[in-house]
Amino acid sequence: MANASDRPQPLYIVSNRLPFNVRVDNDKLVFQESAGGLVTGLASYIESCKRANTLSEDHAWIGWPGSTVMPPLREELKREALAKFQSYPVFLSEEEMDQFYFGFCNSTIWPLFHYFPSFTVYQGNLWEQYKHVNEVFCDAAMEVVKPDGLVWVHDYHLMLLPRLLKAKAPDLLVGFFLHIPFPSFEVFRLLPGQWRREILEGLLGADLIGFHTYEYGQHFLQSVLRILGHEQRMGQILTPERAVKVETFPMGIDFEKFSRALENAAIKAEEEELRTTLSQFKVILSVDRLDYSKGILNRLEGFESFLEANAEHHGKVVILMVVVPSRIGVSQYDLMKRQIEELVGKINGRFGKIGWTPVVYQYRSVPFQSLAALYSVSDICLVTPLRDGMNLVAKEYVATRKDGTGVLILSEMAGAAKELAEAIIVNPNNREEIAEALSAALEIPVEEQKRRNQIMQRRLQRYDVMRWARDFVNQLAAMRDVQNRIQAKLLPDTVRTAIVDRYRQSKRRVLFLDYDGATSHLTQYTFRIRLDEAKVHTVQKLSADPRNTVVVLSGRPRDSLAAWFGHLPVGLVAEHGTWLKASDGPWRISKNLTSEWKKKVLPIFEIYADRLPGAFVEEKEYSAVWHYRAADPDQASLLAAEMTDHLLKFTSQTDLQVFQGNKRVEIRHAGINKGTAALDWLSKRGFDFVLAIGDDSTDEDLFSVLPDSAVSIQVGFASTHARYNLRTADEAMDLLKSLAEVPAITREPGQN
Ligand code: ADQ
C-alpha cells in the first residue's frame, strides 16, 4: 500500500464544475476560465505542491464542463480540457442536468440545507436522477484515478460519490468537503428515510469529511448517530468498514491576491475613477450571487429603515448593490429578482432626489478587477445572508482594505461570522438591527476600524485558501496510517486458515464465546433478542466434539442463558462472571455476594428511567442494568452521566462498581468479570487451543487473562487487548462455522 512519504501522490479533485466553462458557438468550443474562490485556491495549492514536488504530475480535475456537449465535439473537448486545464469532463444530457442540478441539488438539497424547508421539493424522480448522476461521476472518476490516489470530492452535488468510489476501489483515500451548511437533525430528517440514510452512508464512504464550521460537523455527527446509530469519538466514527474522520476546515481566500490588488495599475485606475464619481457619498457595498439564502431583500429593507430613521444621511450615503445572475429559470430565483427590483425602485422612488440615487443596482457579474476596485472604495460592506456556509465576500472585503479602514457588517448566520468576530455582527431577520448597524458603522472612528480590521486580516492571511487546501489534503493523506492500523489487526485470510489448521490438529480446546453482540447482533429492543437456528446449530456442532470445551459468556441472567443453551453440553457464564456452570454441573456463584444493595439502587435506576422515554431497568440476581438503547441518544448520555455520578456517591463505601457499557449503565460487584470466570476453566485443564471472541469493553477482562498462544478476536474496531479484529458478528459466526466443519470425534455419554 502506498505511503504518503514514499513519493508524491496523485490528487484528483471531483466537483460539479471544472475550472473552466465551455459553450458551443457555431459548432465550435469556446472556453472561459472560471475564477471562483475554490478554483483559484486549489489552483494555487496545486502550483505550490508542484514546486515542492509533493504532488504527482498525475493530478486532475473531474467535473461537468458547464454545458451539454454532443458527441461530435466530445473527443475534442476531452483533448483540450486535458491539455489546457488538466481536466476530465463528465458528460451529461440536458435532461440529466435539469433533474440533477436544477432538480435535486438546487430544489431539494440547497433550500433544505439553508433552512428553507418550504422551498424544498421532494420528488422521487429527482432523487433517482441524483443517484444516477453520482454514478456517472463515479464511472468517469474510475477511468482516471490511480487506485492508491487521493480523491477530494466537493460539495452537495456529489454526496453519494464517496461510497460509490470506495466500493470500486477500497484503497483509494477519499475526502469530502461540504461548502454549504449541514443543517440540524430536525431539518435534515425532513428528507424521506431512504434518501437521508443513503446520503449519510454515501458521505461515510469518505475517509475524511470536512465542514466550514464546528457546528456543521456536529450537526452531521448527530444525524449519523440518530439515523445510522454510529457513535463518534473525538470526531471519529468507526463504521464496520473503517474509520471516518469529521473535521472543521474554514475555507479561506487568496489573501495576497486581494491585499495586493491595488498594486495593479488598471485596478488602481478603476478605483480612482469610482472614487471621483462617488466623492460626495459614503459608500455601502453589497455583492452576491442572486440567491434567497443571501438575504438581499432583508438588506434592502434594513437600508430603507436606516433612511427612515436617519434623515441627516439623506443625500450622503449610497448602497452599491451588485447581484450576479445565478440559477436562471428556477422559479424562486426569478421571483426574487423581481422582488429585489421592485424594492430598489420603491426605495429610490421614495427617498431619491436629483443628484442622489440611494440604491445603485447592477444585475451582472463583474470581473475581479472591478470587484477589487469596489471593495476598495466602499466604506462599509454589508453582508446579510439568512444562511451561508461560509461567505467569501466578507473575507475578500477585509483582505482588500490594505490601509485597515472600512467596516464589515456581517450576518451571524454566515459561517464566516465564527472567524470574523471583530465585524459588526447582526441578525439579518431584524431590519432595525441592520439599520442600527449601518448608523453605528458610519460613526466608528478610523483608529477603531483599523484595530478591528488588522486582527481579522492577520487571521485571514494565516489561514488562507492554500493553507485550507493543504490542511485538508495532509489530513486526508494521514488517514492512510489510521486505516492501515485498523486493517493491520483485521484477521487476514492466511491467519484464518492457520487458525482452522491449528484447531484441526489440537486435542484439548476451549472456546470462549461472548453472547450478545459478538456472535449475535444487538437489537434496538433488547428483550426481543432471539438466537437464530443456524447459530445454535453451530454452537451445538462445536460442543458435540469431545475435544472441545465450549463456554458461552454473557452479561445476561442465568435463566436466559439456561433457556437458550441449557440443552447443549456447553459451559455458561452469566451476569458477567457472577454465575458459572460447567456443562454437566449445576450453577454456582463465583463468590459470596449480597443483593441487599439492590433495594437502594433500583429506585435510583427507576427514577432516571422515568425521566427518559425508552430507558428501562433490568434486574438480575447480583447486578442491575439501566438500558437506554431505544432512548434519545443526547438526552440519554446526559442522564447516564448524571445517574453514574449519583450512583458513585452511593457505591463509594461498598465493593460495587458502576460501569458505562454499550448503551447501558450497569452496577455489579467488583472483582468479578468474564476474565475471572474464564480462569475457572483455564486453570483446570491443559488446553492446547484457546479461542475467545468478544465485542465490548467487558470482554477486555477476558482477553487479558488468556495465554499468549490464545487466538483472541474482537468484533468491531474499538481498541482492544485482542490479537485480531473482525468487522462484524457475521464474520465471527463464519469463522465458527469453519471450525464446526472440521470433522468431530464422537462424544461418549457422560464425557465432557
Ligand atoms: P457562494 O454561494 O457562491 O459559495 P460566496 O462564498 O460568497 O458564495 O462566494 C462567492 C464568490 O463569488 C466570491 O469569491 C465573490 O468574489 C464572487 N462574487 C460575488 N459576487 C460577485 C459579482 N457580482 N461579480 C463577480 N464575482 C462575484 C458557496 C457557499 C458559500 C461558501 C463558498 C465557498 O454558498 O457559503 O463560502 O461556497 O465554500
Side-chain angles (χ1 to χ4, degrees):
M1 213 171 278
N3 179 335
S5 57
D6 286 344
R7 60 187 166 75
Q9 302 196 65
L11 173 68
Y12 306 97
I13 293 159
V14 192
S15 57
N16 181 46
R17 302 301 286 270
L18 285 172
F20 64 88
N21 268 319
V22 77
R23 70 191 154 78
V24 181
D25 198 0
N26 281 329
D27 289 336
K28 286 222 155 41
L29 296 172
V30 183
F31 288 85
Q32 189 190 7
E33 270 184 61
S34 14
L38 175 67
V39 171
T40 24
L42 286 172
S44 346
Y45 168 70
I46 287 170
E47 278 311 308
S48 76
C49 289
K50 277 203 230 157
R51 283 196 298 276
N53 195 30
T54 52
L55 186 69
S56 153
E57 284 297 316
D58 289 335
H59 77 272
W61 287 77
I62 297 153
W64 184 63
S67 62
T68 307
V69 176
M70 299 315 281
L73 287 172
R74 285 185 181 176
E75 286 310 311
E76 186 189 334
L77 173 56
K78 277 191 192 168
R79 269 196 314 277
E80 298 264 306
L82 188 58
K84 289 189 185 146
F85 301 98
Q86 193 108 354
S87 295
Y88 292 86
V90 178
F91 295 108
L92 296 170
S93 70
E94 258 174 44
E95 190 197 352
E96 282 169 334
M97 209 50 200
D98 195 48
Q99 298 191 346
F100 161 73
Y101 182 71
F102 292 107
F104 197 76
C105 293
N106 288 326
S107 304
T108 305
I109 296 297
W110 179 275
L112 192 69
F113 280 35
H114 286 87
Y115 295 79
F116 287 87
S118 57
F119 289 0
T120 307
V121 169
Y122 305 93
Q123 253 173 252
N125 61 328
L126 303 183
W127 165 244
E128 290 306 322
Q129 193 65 265
Y130 183 76
K131 292 207 290 191
H132 166 71
V133 170
N134 271 256
E135 275 162 17
V136 173
F137 269 81
C138 179
D139 293 342
M142 289 312 298
E143 282 181 22
V144 179
V145 302
K146 295 244 165 78
D148 63 346
L150 310 184
V151 182
W152 187 359
V153 180
H154 286 268
D155 228 359
Y156 64 104
H157 317 89
L158 299 172
M159 291 190 285
L160 307 179
L161 185 57
R163 184 174 187 219
L164 295 172
L165 288 169
K166 266 285 156 80
K168 295 215 166 143
D171 285 341
L172 272 183
L173 274 184
V174 181
F176 180 90
F177 189 83
L178 187 70
H179 289 264
I180 64 174
F182 195 94
S184 71
F185 168 71
E186 282 305 325
V187 170
F188 183 69
R189 76 187 305 190
L190 296 175
L191 287 173
Q194 183 68 14
W195 305 5
R196 65 192 187 201
R197 257 193 313 280
E198 284 188 38
I199 288 172
L200 294 178
E201 283 165 355
L203 291 169
L204 288 183
D207 301 271
L208 175 67
I209 306 178
F211 297 95
H212 280 307
T213 72
Y214 175 75
E215 230 171 31
Y216 305 155
Q218 291 301 307
H219 289 163
F220 171 71
L221 289 169
Q222 201 178 39
S223 285
V224 167
L225 173 64
R226 286 169 176 248
I227 294 168
L228 300 181
H230 298 309
E231 306 245 8
Q232 59 111 358
R233 222 166 166 198
M234 315 263 289
Q236 186 158 296
I237 301 167
L238 287 169
T239 72
E241 285 81 32
R242 91 196 89 79
V244 182
K245 182 94 184 123
V246 173
E247 198 49 275
T248 311
F249 302 89
M251 184 174 166
I253 54 167
D254 186 342
F255 183 85
E256 293 303 320
K257 181 175 161 198
F258 285 90
S259 163
R260 304 180 63 171
L262 271 280
E263 291 171 19
N264 175 307
I267 301 181
K268 185 75 193 150
E270 189 164 342
E271 191 236 20
E272 275 167 8
E273 199 182 321
L274 270 175
R275 218 174 260 289
T276 314
T277 318
L278 297 165
S279 60
Q280 302 135 280
F281 305 111
K282 285 280 182 189
V283 180
I284 304 167
L285 180 65
S286 153
V287 183
D288 347 56
R289 259 185 330 99
L290 177 70
D291 200 292
Y292 46 81
S293 66
K294 300 287 181 186
I296 303 173
L297 280 170
N298 302 49
R299 197 172 312 164
L300 282 170
E301 286 168 358
F303 183 61
E304 187 179 24
S305 295
F306 163 78
L307 293 180
E308 275 165 11
N310 297 282
E312 72 279 15
H313 287 299
H314 290 190
K316 296 180 188 153
V317 174
V318 291
I319 183 163
L320 301 183
M321 177 161 271
V322 186
V323 176
V324 190
S326 169
R327 299 175 199 171
I328 298 159
V330 176
S331 58
Q332 277 108 9
Y333 290 76
D334 297 343
L335 172 69
M336 212 187 78
K337 177 172 180 281
R338 278 202 304 280
Q339 289 172 331
I340 291 172
E341 287 170 2
E342 275 169 23
L343 189 52
V344 168
K346 181 183 153 216
I347 296 172
N348 283 341
R350 184 172 162 203
F351 296 100
K353 51 190 180 193
I354 293 170
W356 180 50
T357 306
V359 186
V360 180
Y361 171 74
Q362 297 176 16
Y363 177 64
R364 59 163 184 264
S365 182
V366 291
F368 167 71
Q369 175 174 324
S370 310
L371 190 63
L374 283 170
Y375 286 146
S376 180
V377 294
S378 301
D379 303 280
I380 296 170
C381 186
L382 183 56
V383 185
T384 58
L386 300 174
R387 285 285 163 180
D388 213 337
M390 172 54 75
N391 194 293
L392 300 180
V393 168
K395 292 186 169 182
E396 292 167 0
Y397 174 72
V398 172
T400 310
R401 311 296 303 183
K402 192 137 198 211
D403 67 1
T405 60
V407 180
L408 173 66
I409 301 177
L410 179 59
S411 158
E412 61 181 285
M413 306 298 173
K418 301 269 181 279
E419 288 170 89
L420 303 178
E422 289 75 19
I424 299 184
I425 304 290
V426 292
N427 181 332
N429 295 303
N430 184 349
R431 57 190 286 176
E432 268 67 45
E433 208 173 313
I434 297 175
E436 277 164 30
L438 282 172
S439 71
L442 288 167
E443 278 163 26
I444 294 187
V446 169
E447 283 317 304
E448 176 62 8
Q449 294 176 17
K450 287 186 177 170
R451 188 190 69 78
R452 291 173 178 227
N453 287 334
Q454 276 157 7
I455 299 173
M456 294 193 280
Q457 284 170 349
R458 274 200 292 277
R459 197 172 306 133
L460 293 176
Q461 187 167 22
R462 263 201 318 275
Y463 204 87
D464 65 358
V465 68
M466 280 192 10
R467 168 84 187 277
W468 168 80
R470 195 172 351 117
D471 272 8
F472 188 94
V473 176
N474 287 349
Q475 287 228 31
L476 178 58
M479 287 306 288
R480 181 84 75 200
D481 285 344
V482 176
Q483 309 299 15
N484 284 350
R485 267 202 303 279
I486 287 175
Q487 298 285 334
K489 284 192 82 182
L490 272 184
L491 184 67
D493 283 348
T494 47
V495 176
R496 193 181 190 281
T497 313
I499 291 171
V500 178
D501 280 348
R502 259 183 67 197
Y503 174 87
R504 186 177 290 114
Q505 285 153 21
S506 53
K507 298 196 171 55
R508 290 171 87 80
R509 312 163 181 144
V510 63
L511 313 177
F512 293 108
L513 309 179
D514 169 53
Y515 179 68
D516 258 20
T519 50
S520 66
H521 293 288
L522 287 170
T523 68
Q524 188 179 6
Y525 307 101
T526 317
F527 55 86
R528 274 207 202 147
I529 205 150
R530 292 271 181 275
L531 265 186
D532 74 43
E533 296 273 311
K535 285 176 193 150
V536 178
H537 183 66
T538 302
V539 176
Q540 184 169 20
K541 264 180 101 176
L542 288 167
S543 62
D545 188 330
R547 287 170 296 189
N548 290 352
T549 299
V550 177
V551 182
V552 175
L553 306 93
S554 177
R556 291 176 170 272
R558 58 184 169 140
D559 49 355
S560 303
L561 288 188
W564 292 325
F565 298 102
H567 60 295
L568 301 178
V570 298
L572 296 175
V573 173
E575 287 194 43
H576 296 298
T578 305
W579 290 101
L580 314 177
K581 181 186 175 305
S583 58
D584 55 352
W587 283 104
R588 63 196 168 78
I589 197 154
S590 62
K591 71 176 191 188
N592 274 338
L593 302 171
T594 66
S595 57
E596 279 299 298
W597 54 271
K598 284 202 288 184
K599 285 193 205 125
K600 288 189 181 151
V601 166
L602 287 175
I604 301 176
F605 271 11
E606 294 293 352
I607 290 170
Y608 282 92
D610 289 345
R611 284 171 60 190
L612 182 68
F616 67 92
V617 180
E618 185 187 8
E619 180 184 351
K620 304 185 202 175
E621 284 173 88
Y622 292 102
S623 56
V625 191
W626 190 77
H627 291 276
Y628 57 86
R629 180 163 297 279
D632 177 285
D634 291 319
Q635 203 188 348
S637 62
L638 281 179
L639 275 186
E642 192 184 319
M643 184 178 71
T644 305
D645 198 43
H646 192 158
L647 290 171
L648 286 174
K649 285 191 194 113
F650 164 77
T651 55
S652 57
Q653 307 297 325
T654 69
D655 79 331
L656 294 168
Q657 268 185 318
V658 183
F659 297 89
Q660 285 258 13
N662 186 6
K663 308 266 169 47
R664 60 172 201 263
V665 177
E666 182 148 11
I667 186 159
R668 60 177 193 259
H669 289 272
I672 294 177
N673 56 49
K674 288 179 183 169
T676 53
L679 284 174
D680 211 74
W681 273 270
L682 288 169
S683 60
K684 281 184 202 142
R685 303 178 75 174
F687 293 105
D688 58 357
F689 180 89
V690 179
L691 172 118
I693 304 183
D695 82 315
D696 80 5
S697 52
T698 62
D699 297 312
E700 294 296 303
D701 298 320
L702 167 62
F703 298 141
S704 60
V705 301
L706 300 177
D708 290 346
S709 59
V711 176
S712 49
I713 297 173
Q714 159 99 351
V715 175
F717 288 131
S719 65
T720 175
H721 289 104
R723 282 182 67 182
Y724 304 108
N725 291 74
L726 281 173
R727 289 190 172 94
T728 60
D730 288 340
E731 288 185 6
M733 272 323 286
D734 282 347
L735 174 65
L736 291 178
K737 268 190 220 147
S738 307
L739 300 182
E741 276 158 19
V742 171
I745 57 168
T746 324
R747 189 183 283 269
E748 298 297 326
Q751 195 179 0
N752 63 52

